[in-house]
mmCIF file of all heavy atoms in Angstrom:
data_model
loop_
_atom_site.group_PDB
_atom_site.id
_atom_site.type_symbol
_atom_site.label_atom_id
_atom_site.label_comp_id
_atom_site.label_asym_id
_atom_site.label_seq_id
_atom_site.Cartn_x
_atom_site.Cartn_y
_atom_site.Cartn_z
ATOM 1 N N ARG A 1 -0.462 111.299 82.020
ATOM 2 C CA ARG A 1 -1.680 112.011 82.412
ATOM 3 C C ARG A 1 -2.325 112.643 81.186
ATOM 4 O O ARG A 1 -2.004 113.761 80.796
ATOM 5 C CB ARG A 1 -1.367 113.094 83.453
ATOM 6 C CG ARG A 1 -0.731 112.553 84.712
ATOM 7 C CD ARG A 1 -1.668 111.658 85.479
ATOM 8 N NE ARG A 1 -1.042 111.235 86.733
ATOM 9 C CZ ARG A 1 -1.379 110.155 87.371
ATOM 10 N NH1 ARG A 1 -2.335 109.383 86.910
ATOM 11 N NH2 ARG A 1 -0.781 109.827 88.489
ATOM 12 N N PRO A 2 -3.248 111.916 80.548
ATOM 13 C CA PRO A 2 -3.901 112.466 79.353
ATOM 14 C C PRO A 2 -4.900 113.560 79.710
ATOM 15 O O PRO A 2 -5.442 113.583 80.820
ATOM 16 C CB PRO A 2 -4.614 111.248 78.761
ATOM 17 C CG PRO A 2 -4.893 110.379 79.931
ATOM 18 C CD PRO A 2 -3.739 110.583 80.881
ATOM 19 N N LYS A 3 -5.142 114.454 78.768
ATOM 20 C CA LYS A 3 -6.183 115.464 78.923
ATOM 21 C C LYS A 3 -7.383 114.948 78.136
ATOM 22 O O LYS A 3 -7.306 114.791 76.913
ATOM 23 C CB LYS A 3 -5.714 116.807 78.384
ATOM 24 C CG LYS A 3 -6.710 117.924 78.600
ATOM 25 C CD LYS A 3 -6.145 119.247 78.107
ATOM 26 C CE LYS A 3 -7.053 120.412 78.376
ATOM 27 N NZ LYS A 3 -8.429 120.256 77.985
ATOM 28 N N ILE A 4 -8.474 114.641 78.828
ATOM 29 C CA ILE A 4 -9.624 113.984 78.223
ATOM 30 C C ILE A 4 -10.823 114.928 78.255
ATOM 31 O O ILE A 4 -11.156 115.476 79.301
ATOM 32 C CB ILE A 4 -9.969 112.686 78.972
ATOM 33 C CG1 ILE A 4 -8.750 111.755 79.020
ATOM 34 C CG2 ILE A 4 -11.152 111.987 78.316
ATOM 35 C CD1 ILE A 4 -8.927 110.542 79.920
ATOM 36 N N ASP A 5 -11.467 115.103 77.095
ATOM 37 C CA ASP A 5 -12.673 115.924 76.982
ATOM 38 C C ASP A 5 -13.741 115.152 76.223
ATOM 39 O O ASP A 5 -13.433 114.462 75.245
ATOM 40 C CB ASP A 5 -12.391 117.224 76.215
ATOM 41 C CG ASP A 5 -11.432 118.135 76.935
ATOM 42 O OD1 ASP A 5 -11.651 118.393 78.132
ATOM 43 O OD2 ASP A 5 -10.456 118.596 76.297
ATOM 44 N N ILE A 6 -14.998 115.307 76.659
ATOM 45 C CA ILE A 6 -16.132 114.757 75.924
ATOM 46 C C ILE A 6 -16.795 115.916 75.196
ATOM 47 O O ILE A 6 -17.071 116.949 75.799
ATOM 48 C CB ILE A 6 -17.154 114.083 76.857
ATOM 49 C CG1 ILE A 6 -16.515 112.899 77.571
ATOM 50 C CG2 ILE A 6 -18.376 113.627 76.076
ATOM 51 C CD1 ILE A 6 -17.411 112.234 78.588
ATOM 52 N N GLU A 7 -16.982 115.743 73.912
ATOM 53 C CA GLU A 7 -17.659 116.763 73.117
ATOM 54 C C GLU A 7 -18.757 116.091 72.297
ATOM 55 O O GLU A 7 -18.659 114.919 71.970
ATOM 56 C CB GLU A 7 -16.660 117.485 72.204
ATOM 57 C CG GLU A 7 -15.610 118.262 72.973
ATOM 58 C CD GLU A 7 -14.658 119.036 72.075
ATOM 59 O OE1 GLU A 7 -15.044 119.407 70.948
ATOM 60 O OE2 GLU A 7 -13.521 119.262 72.511
ATOM 61 N N ARG A 8 -19.772 116.863 71.985
ATOM 62 C CA ARG A 8 -20.897 116.336 71.216
ATOM 63 C C ARG A 8 -20.864 116.879 69.794
ATOM 64 O O ARG A 8 -20.640 118.060 69.589
ATOM 65 C CB ARG A 8 -22.218 116.699 71.868
ATOM 66 C CG ARG A 8 -22.464 115.943 73.153
ATOM 67 C CD ARG A 8 -23.806 116.235 73.768
ATOM 68 N NE ARG A 8 -24.939 115.743 73.034
ATOM 69 C CZ ARG A 8 -25.405 114.491 73.086
ATOM 70 N NH1 ARG A 8 -24.790 113.613 73.848
ATOM 71 N NH2 ARG A 8 -26.461 114.138 72.413
ATOM 72 N N ILE A 9 -21.104 115.985 68.864
ATOM 73 C CA ILE A 9 -21.357 116.364 67.475
ATOM 74 C C ILE A 9 -22.706 115.761 67.139
ATOM 75 O O ILE A 9 -22.852 114.532 67.129
ATOM 76 C CB ILE A 9 -20.251 115.868 66.528
ATOM 77 C CG1 ILE A 9 -18.964 116.614 66.820
ATOM 78 C CG2 ILE A 9 -20.682 116.031 65.083
ATOM 79 C CD1 ILE A 9 -17.847 116.378 65.848
ATOM 80 N N GLY A 10 -23.673 116.623 66.921
ATOM 81 C CA GLY A 10 -25.041 116.146 66.730
ATOM 82 C C GLY A 10 -25.522 115.517 68.023
ATOM 83 O O GLY A 10 -25.458 116.110 69.082
ATOM 84 N N GLU A 11 -25.980 114.290 67.924
ATOM 85 C CA GLU A 11 -26.467 113.556 69.101
ATOM 86 C C GLU A 11 -25.430 112.570 69.647
ATOM 87 O O GLU A 11 -25.749 111.757 70.495
ATOM 88 C CB GLU A 11 -27.742 112.784 68.731
ATOM 89 C CG GLU A 11 -28.899 113.679 68.350
ATOM 90 C CD GLU A 11 -29.358 114.536 69.519
ATOM 91 O OE1 GLU A 11 -29.500 114.003 70.637
ATOM 92 O OE2 GLU A 11 -29.546 115.750 69.316
ATOM 93 N N LYS A 12 -24.213 112.642 69.143
ATOM 94 C CA LYS A 12 -23.202 111.650 69.493
ATOM 95 C C LYS A 12 -22.126 112.231 70.401
ATOM 96 O O LYS A 12 -21.640 113.326 70.172
ATOM 97 C CB LYS A 12 -22.578 111.098 68.219
ATOM 98 C CG LYS A 12 -23.596 110.393 67.338
ATOM 99 C CD LYS A 12 -22.984 109.996 66.026
ATOM 100 C CE LYS A 12 -23.950 109.202 65.208
ATOM 101 N NZ LYS A 12 -25.010 109.953 64.637
ATOM 102 N N ASN A 13 -21.757 111.450 71.419
ATOM 103 C CA ASN A 13 -20.646 111.813 72.303
ATOM 104 C C ASN A 13 -19.353 111.281 71.710
ATOM 105 O O ASN A 13 -19.246 110.091 71.402
ATOM 106 C CB ASN A 13 -20.835 111.203 73.691
ATOM 107 C CG ASN A 13 -21.895 111.897 74.490
ATOM 108 O OD1 ASN A 13 -22.032 113.116 74.431
ATOM 109 N ND2 ASN A 13 -22.663 111.139 75.244
ATOM 110 N N LEU A 14 -18.374 112.159 71.577
ATOM 111 C CA LEU A 14 -17.043 111.770 71.136
ATOM 112 C C LEU A 14 -16.066 112.137 72.242
ATOM 113 O O LEU A 14 -16.300 113.076 73.013
ATOM 114 C CB LEU A 14 -16.647 112.502 69.853
ATOM 115 C CG LEU A 14 -17.553 112.299 68.644
ATOM 116 C CD1 LEU A 14 -17.069 113.145 67.489
ATOM 117 C CD2 LEU A 14 -17.607 110.848 68.240
ATOM 118 N N ILE A 15 -14.993 111.392 72.316
ATOM 119 C CA ILE A 15 -13.970 111.674 73.317
ATOM 120 C C ILE A 15 -12.704 112.131 72.615
ATOM 121 O O ILE A 15 -12.202 111.456 71.714
ATOM 122 C CB ILE A 15 -13.682 110.434 74.192
ATOM 123 C CG1 ILE A 15 -14.947 110.020 74.940
ATOM 124 C CG2 ILE A 15 -12.548 110.723 75.168
ATOM 125 C CD1 ILE A 15 -14.799 108.759 75.766
ATOM 126 N N LYS A 16 -12.218 113.295 73.049
ATOM 127 C CA LYS A 16 -10.958 113.837 72.535
ATOM 128 C C LYS A 16 -9.921 113.664 73.637
ATOM 129 O O LYS A 16 -10.122 114.111 74.766
ATOM 130 C CB LYS A 16 -11.124 115.317 72.184
ATOM 131 C CG LYS A 16 -9.822 115.978 71.751
ATOM 132 C CD LYS A 16 -10.021 117.450 71.472
ATOM 133 C CE LYS A 16 -10.110 118.207 72.771
ATOM 134 N NZ LYS A 16 -10.144 119.656 72.624
ATOM 135 N N VAL A 17 -8.827 113.001 73.294
ATOM 136 C CA VAL A 17 -7.762 112.742 74.262
ATOM 137 C C VAL A 17 -6.488 113.386 73.727
ATOM 138 O O VAL A 17 -6.081 113.117 72.605
ATOM 139 C CB VAL A 17 -7.532 111.225 74.441
ATOM 140 C CG1 VAL A 17 -6.447 110.970 75.472
ATOM 141 C CG2 VAL A 17 -8.813 110.510 74.800
ATOM 142 N N PHE A 18 -5.874 114.235 74.548
ATOM 143 C CA PHE A 18 -4.572 114.781 74.192
ATOM 144 C C PHE A 18 -3.525 114.109 75.066
ATOM 145 O O PHE A 18 -3.619 114.124 76.294
ATOM 146 C CB PHE A 18 -4.496 116.299 74.383
ATOM 147 C CG PHE A 18 -3.133 116.847 74.052
ATOM 148 C CD1 PHE A 18 -2.721 116.934 72.735
ATOM 149 C CD2 PHE A 18 -2.252 117.223 75.051
ATOM 150 C CE1 PHE A 18 -1.456 117.408 72.415
ATOM 151 C CE2 PHE A 18 -0.986 117.694 74.753
ATOM 152 C CZ PHE A 18 -0.589 117.786 73.428
ATOM 153 N N ILE A 19 -2.542 113.510 74.415
ATOM 154 C CA ILE A 19 -1.430 112.857 75.109
ATOM 155 C C ILE A 19 -0.214 113.766 74.973
ATOM 156 O O ILE A 19 0.276 113.981 73.865
ATOM 157 C CB ILE A 19 -1.112 111.468 74.508
ATOM 158 C CG1 ILE A 19 -2.343 110.578 74.466
ATOM 159 C CG2 ILE A 19 0.052 110.815 75.242
ATOM 160 C CD1 ILE A 19 -2.929 110.233 75.802
ATOM 161 N N PRO A 20 0.289 114.333 76.065
ATOM 162 C CA PRO A 20 1.458 115.212 75.971
ATOM 163 C C PRO A 20 2.740 114.415 75.750
ATOM 164 O O PRO A 20 2.838 113.251 76.152
ATOM 165 C CB PRO A 20 1.481 115.913 77.331
ATOM 166 C CG PRO A 20 0.809 114.950 78.253
ATOM 167 C CD PRO A 20 -0.211 114.213 77.437
ATOM 168 N N GLU A 21 3.703 115.053 75.113
ATOM 169 C CA GLU A 21 5.020 114.433 74.965
ATOM 170 C C GLU A 21 5.684 114.387 76.334
ATOM 171 O O GLU A 21 5.626 115.355 77.097
ATOM 172 C CB GLU A 21 5.875 115.252 73.995
ATOM 173 C CG GLU A 21 7.255 114.667 73.765
ATOM 174 C CD GLU A 21 8.084 115.465 72.768
ATOM 175 O OE1 GLU A 21 7.526 116.266 72.008
ATOM 176 O OE2 GLU A 21 9.317 115.282 72.769
ATOM 177 N N ALA A 22 6.285 113.271 76.650
ATOM 178 C CA ALA A 22 6.967 113.110 77.942
ATOM 179 C C ALA A 22 8.232 113.970 77.964
ATOM 180 O O ALA A 22 8.880 114.165 76.936
ATOM 181 C CB ALA A 22 7.328 111.650 78.169
ATOM 182 N N PRO A 23 8.602 114.490 79.148
ATOM 183 C CA PRO A 23 9.847 115.258 79.259
ATOM 184 C C PRO A 23 11.059 114.393 78.928
ATOM 185 O O PRO A 23 11.036 113.170 79.084
ATOM 186 C CB PRO A 23 9.878 115.675 80.734
ATOM 187 C CG PRO A 23 8.481 115.533 81.221
ATOM 188 C CD PRO A 23 7.854 114.451 80.399
ATOM 189 N N GLU A 24 12.129 115.033 78.477
ATOM 190 C CA GLU A 24 13.353 114.336 78.062
ATOM 191 C C GLU A 24 13.878 113.351 79.104
ATOM 192 O O GLU A 24 14.270 112.249 78.775
ATOM 193 C CB GLU A 24 14.453 115.344 77.721
ATOM 194 C CG GLU A 24 14.239 116.069 76.424
ATOM 195 C CD GLU A 24 14.280 115.151 75.218
ATOM 196 O OE1 GLU A 24 15.118 114.233 75.172
ATOM 197 O OE2 GLU A 24 13.455 115.364 74.319
ATOM 198 N N GLY A 25 13.891 113.711 80.354
ATOM 199 C CA GLY A 25 14.457 112.853 81.393
ATOM 200 C C GLY A 25 13.629 111.612 81.692
ATOM 201 O O GLY A 25 14.103 110.691 82.344
ATOM 202 N N ILE A 26 12.408 111.571 81.222
ATOM 203 C CA ILE A 26 11.511 110.442 81.492
ATOM 204 C C ILE A 26 11.477 109.449 80.330
ATOM 205 O O ILE A 26 11.192 108.279 80.517
ATOM 206 C CB ILE A 26 10.094 110.971 81.813
ATOM 207 C CG1 ILE A 26 10.128 111.745 83.111
ATOM 208 C CG2 ILE A 26 9.077 109.853 81.873
ATOM 209 C CD1 ILE A 26 8.823 112.400 83.488
ATOM 210 N N LYS A 27 11.792 109.910 79.137
ATOM 211 C CA LYS A 27 11.738 109.043 77.955
ATOM 212 C C LYS A 27 12.835 107.998 78.011
ATOM 213 O O LYS A 27 13.911 108.281 78.534
ATOM 214 C CB LYS A 27 11.907 109.865 76.675
ATOM 215 C CG LYS A 27 10.752 110.759 76.370
ATOM 216 C CD LYS A 27 11.049 111.482 75.080
ATOM 217 C CE LYS A 27 10.054 112.549 74.790
ATOM 218 N NZ LYS A 27 10.367 113.255 73.565
ATOM 219 N N PRO A 28 12.632 106.834 77.478
ATOM 220 C CA PRO A 28 11.441 106.374 76.776
ATOM 221 C C PRO A 28 10.374 105.862 77.736
ATOM 222 O O PRO A 28 10.669 105.234 78.747
ATOM 223 C CB PRO A 28 11.960 105.242 75.909
ATOM 224 C CG PRO A 28 13.111 104.680 76.667
ATOM 225 C CD PRO A 28 13.724 105.855 77.382
ATOM 226 N N VAL A 29 9.134 106.131 77.374
ATOM 227 C CA VAL A 29 7.991 105.549 78.072
ATOM 228 C C VAL A 29 7.798 104.161 77.467
ATOM 229 O O VAL A 29 7.880 103.989 76.249
ATOM 230 C CB VAL A 29 6.729 106.416 77.865
ATOM 231 C CG1 VAL A 29 5.502 105.747 78.431
ATOM 232 C CG2 VAL A 29 6.942 107.790 78.476
ATOM 233 N N TYR A 30 7.553 103.165 78.322
ATOM 234 C CA TYR A 30 7.380 101.804 77.807
ATOM 235 C C TYR A 30 6.438 101.018 78.714
ATOM 236 O O TYR A 30 6.205 101.385 79.865
ATOM 237 C CB TYR A 30 8.731 101.077 77.681
ATOM 238 C CG TYR A 30 9.511 100.979 78.957
ATOM 239 C CD1 TYR A 30 9.364 99.882 79.815
ATOM 240 C CD2 TYR A 30 10.411 101.973 79.327
ATOM 241 C CE1 TYR A 30 10.086 99.790 81.001
ATOM 242 C CE2 TYR A 30 11.134 101.884 80.507
ATOM 243 C CZ TYR A 30 10.961 100.797 81.333
ATOM 244 O OH TYR A 30 11.668 100.704 82.505
ATOM 245 N N PHE A 31 5.885 99.938 78.157
ATOM 246 C CA PHE A 31 5.013 99.053 78.925
ATOM 247 C C PHE A 31 5.864 98.341 79.965
ATOM 248 O O PHE A 31 6.858 97.685 79.622
ATOM 249 C CB PHE A 31 4.338 98.027 78.009
ATOM 250 C CG PHE A 31 3.258 98.608 77.138
ATOM 251 C CD1 PHE A 31 3.548 99.099 75.873
ATOM 252 C CD2 PHE A 31 1.948 98.663 77.579
ATOM 253 C CE1 PHE A 31 2.551 99.630 75.073
ATOM 254 C CE2 PHE A 31 0.945 99.191 76.786
ATOM 255 C CZ PHE A 31 1.245 99.680 75.526
ATOM 256 N N LYS A 32 5.483 98.458 81.232
ATOM 257 C CA LYS A 32 6.259 97.866 82.327
ATOM 258 C C LYS A 32 6.454 96.366 82.155
ATOM 259 O O LYS A 32 7.526 95.847 82.420
ATOM 260 C CB LYS A 32 5.559 98.098 83.674
ATOM 261 C CG LYS A 32 5.721 99.453 84.243
ATOM 262 C CD LYS A 32 5.292 99.518 85.690
ATOM 263 C CE LYS A 32 3.796 99.556 85.831
ATOM 264 N NZ LYS A 32 3.349 99.913 87.179
ATOM 265 N N ASN A 33 5.420 95.668 81.722
ATOM 266 C CA ASN A 33 5.491 94.209 81.650
ATOM 267 C C ASN A 33 6.330 93.712 80.480
ATOM 268 O O ASN A 33 6.605 92.524 80.396
ATOM 269 C CB ASN A 33 4.097 93.597 81.614
ATOM 270 C CG ASN A 33 3.303 93.993 80.389
ATOM 271 O OD1 ASN A 33 3.652 94.936 79.691
ATOM 272 N ND2 ASN A 33 2.236 93.280 80.138
ATOM 273 N N GLU A 34 6.759 94.598 79.579
ATOM 274 C CA GLU A 34 7.558 94.171 78.424
ATOM 275 C C GLU A 34 8.989 94.666 78.465
ATOM 276 O O GLU A 34 9.851 94.096 77.815
ATOM 277 C CB GLU A 34 6.897 94.633 77.120
ATOM 278 C CG GLU A 34 5.585 93.942 76.855
ATOM 279 C CD GLU A 34 4.977 94.367 75.543
ATOM 280 O OE1 GLU A 34 5.734 94.616 74.577
ATOM 281 O OE2 GLU A 34 3.746 94.442 75.485
ATOM 282 N N GLY A 35 9.241 95.753 79.177
ATOM 283 C CA GLY A 35 10.600 96.287 79.249
ATOM 284 C C GLY A 35 11.057 96.935 77.953
ATOM 285 O O GLY A 35 10.274 97.150 77.034
ATOM 286 N N LEU A 36 12.367 97.233 77.914
ATOM 287 C CA LEU A 36 12.952 97.878 76.738
ATOM 288 C C LEU A 36 13.731 96.879 75.909
ATOM 289 O O LEU A 36 14.292 95.942 76.463
ATOM 290 C CB LEU A 36 13.907 98.991 77.176
ATOM 291 C CG LEU A 36 13.259 100.246 77.724
ATOM 292 C CD1 LEU A 36 14.333 101.190 78.253
ATOM 293 C CD2 LEU A 36 12.437 100.934 76.673
ATOM 294 N N PRO A 37 13.795 97.012 74.614
ATOM 295 C CA PRO A 37 13.135 97.993 73.761
ATOM 296 C C PRO A 37 11.719 97.579 73.352
ATOM 297 O O PRO A 37 10.966 98.355 72.811
ATOM 298 C CB PRO A 37 14.037 98.052 72.537
ATOM 299 C CG PRO A 37 14.577 96.664 72.405
ATOM 300 C CD PRO A 37 14.729 96.181 73.840
ATOM 301 N N ARG A 38 11.362 96.332 73.603
ATOM 302 C CA ARG A 38 10.107 95.765 73.109
ATOM 303 C C ARG A 38 8.861 96.537 73.540
ATOM 304 O O ARG A 38 7.908 96.643 72.792
ATOM 305 C CB ARG A 38 10.010 94.304 73.558
ATOM 306 C CG ARG A 38 8.833 93.577 72.999
ATOM 307 C CD ARG A 38 8.973 92.073 73.203
ATOM 308 N NE ARG A 38 7.798 91.385 72.746
ATOM 309 C CZ ARG A 38 7.470 91.185 71.491
ATOM 310 N NH1 ARG A 38 8.249 91.642 70.541
ATOM 311 N NH2 ARG A 38 6.374 90.544 71.167
ATOM 312 N N GLY A 39 8.855 97.100 74.720
ATOM 313 C CA GLY A 39 7.662 97.754 75.239
ATOM 314 C C GLY A 39 7.535 99.224 74.902
ATOM 315 O O GLY A 39 6.559 99.863 75.291
ATOM 316 N N ALA A 40 8.495 99.793 74.156
ATOM 317 C CA ALA A 40 8.451 101.213 73.797
ATOM 318 C C ALA A 40 8.005 101.373 72.346
ATOM 319 O O ALA A 40 8.310 100.536 71.497
ATOM 320 C CB ALA A 40 9.826 101.843 73.994
ATOM 321 N N TYR A 41 7.294 102.457 72.083
ATOM 322 C CA TYR A 41 6.795 102.744 70.734
ATOM 323 C C TYR A 41 7.110 104.178 70.368
ATOM 324 O O TYR A 41 7.209 105.043 71.232
ATOM 325 C CB TYR A 41 5.275 102.528 70.652
ATOM 326 C CG TYR A 41 4.894 101.077 70.702
ATOM 327 C CD1 TYR A 41 4.833 100.396 71.904
ATOM 328 C CD2 TYR A 41 4.628 100.374 69.539
ATOM 329 C CE1 TYR A 41 4.506 99.063 71.949
ATOM 330 C CE2 TYR A 41 4.295 99.032 69.576
ATOM 331 C CZ TYR A 41 4.238 98.380 70.788
ATOM 332 O OH TYR A 41 3.921 97.051 70.835
ATOM 333 N N ARG A 42 7.260 104.416 69.053
ATOM 334 C CA ARG A 42 7.437 105.762 68.504
ATOM 335 C C ARG A 42 6.359 106.006 67.464
ATOM 336 O O ARG A 42 5.845 105.073 66.864
ATOM 337 C CB ARG A 42 8.810 105.903 67.845
ATOM 338 C CG ARG A 42 9.948 105.894 68.842
ATOM 339 C CD ARG A 42 11.260 106.205 68.196
ATOM 340 N NE ARG A 42 11.222 107.542 67.602
ATOM 341 C CZ ARG A 42 12.176 108.004 66.790
ATOM 342 N NH1 ARG A 42 13.203 107.244 66.468
ATOM 343 N NH2 ARG A 42 12.101 109.213 66.293
ATOM 344 N N ARG A 43 6.032 107.273 67.256
ATOM 345 C CA ARG A 43 5.042 107.661 66.252
ATOM 346 C C ARG A 43 5.781 108.025 64.974
ATOM 347 O O ARG A 43 6.486 109.022 64.903
ATOM 348 C CB ARG A 43 4.226 108.853 66.754
ATOM 349 C CG ARG A 43 3.091 109.256 65.845
ATOM 350 C CD ARG A 43 1.969 108.265 65.916
ATOM 351 N NE ARG A 43 0.843 108.722 65.109
ATOM 352 C CZ ARG A 43 -0.290 108.091 65.015
ATOM 353 N NH1 ARG A 43 -0.470 106.968 65.690
ATOM 354 N NH2 ARG A 43 -1.259 108.552 64.270
ATOM 355 N N ILE A 44 5.631 107.185 63.959
ATOM 356 C CA ILE A 44 6.263 107.414 62.664
ATOM 357 C C ILE A 44 5.139 107.576 61.646
ATOM 358 O O ILE A 44 4.433 106.610 61.336
ATOM 359 C CB ILE A 44 7.194 106.248 62.259
ATOM 360 C CG1 ILE A 44 8.181 105.909 63.378
ATOM 361 C CG2 ILE A 44 7.899 106.550 60.944
ATOM 362 C CD1 ILE A 44 9.139 107.019 63.754
ATOM 363 N N GLY A 45 4.955 108.787 61.144
ATOM 364 C CA GLY A 45 3.830 109.063 60.250
ATOM 365 C C GLY A 45 2.532 108.829 61.005
ATOM 366 O O GLY A 45 2.338 109.332 62.095
ATOM 367 N N SER A 46 1.653 108.014 60.423
ATOM 368 C CA SER A 46 0.372 107.728 61.077
ATOM 369 C C SER A 46 0.373 106.372 61.771
ATOM 370 O O SER A 46 -0.674 105.832 62.089
ATOM 371 C CB SER A 46 -0.759 107.777 60.044
ATOM 372 O OG SER A 46 -0.570 106.772 59.064
ATOM 373 N N SER A 47 1.567 105.831 62.016
ATOM 374 C CA SER A 47 1.631 104.503 62.635
ATOM 375 C C SER A 47 2.434 104.526 63.930
ATOM 376 O O SER A 47 3.262 105.408 64.151
ATOM 377 C CB SER A 47 2.252 103.494 61.663
ATOM 378 O OG SER A 47 3.615 103.798 61.460
ATOM 379 N N ASP A 48 2.167 103.538 64.756
ATOM 380 C CA ASP A 48 2.898 103.343 66.008
ATOM 381 C C ASP A 48 3.884 102.210 65.769
ATOM 382 O O ASP A 48 3.480 101.086 65.496
ATOM 383 C CB ASP A 48 1.936 102.969 67.143
ATOM 384 C CG ASP A 48 0.832 103.999 67.302
ATOM 385 O OD1 ASP A 48 1.110 105.197 67.161
ATOM 386 O OD2 ASP A 48 -0.316 103.602 67.553
#
């Protein structure tokens, strides 16, 4: 459940999305159609 906000800078609409960290008991989050481990990702530095 992302927190989504639209904000304006000048004449442009930008979207800010905050993705909360999942609770311990729910992790890992993964793509249903790929399963584990292939469908799960971690944030390492600025990359997924």
Side-chain angles (χ1 to χ4, degrees):
R1 301 294 184 204
K3 184 177 184 311
I4 304 171
D5 295 310
I6 297 176
E7 296 183 27
R8 289 183 69 82
I9 292 188
E11 296 295 315
K12 298 174 175 73
N13 286 322
L14 301 177
I15 299 176
K16 175 182 77 173
V17 181
F18 178 73
I19 306 297
E21 181 178 343
E24 287 296 320
I26 294 176
K27 291 181 189 179
V29 173
Y30 58 91
F31 287 91
K32 282 193 283 193
N33 63 344
E34 293 182 35
L36 287 174
R38 186 166 176 74
Y41 288 80
R42 290 187 61 190
R43 185 73 176 182
I44 309 298
S46 63
S47 68
D48 305 321

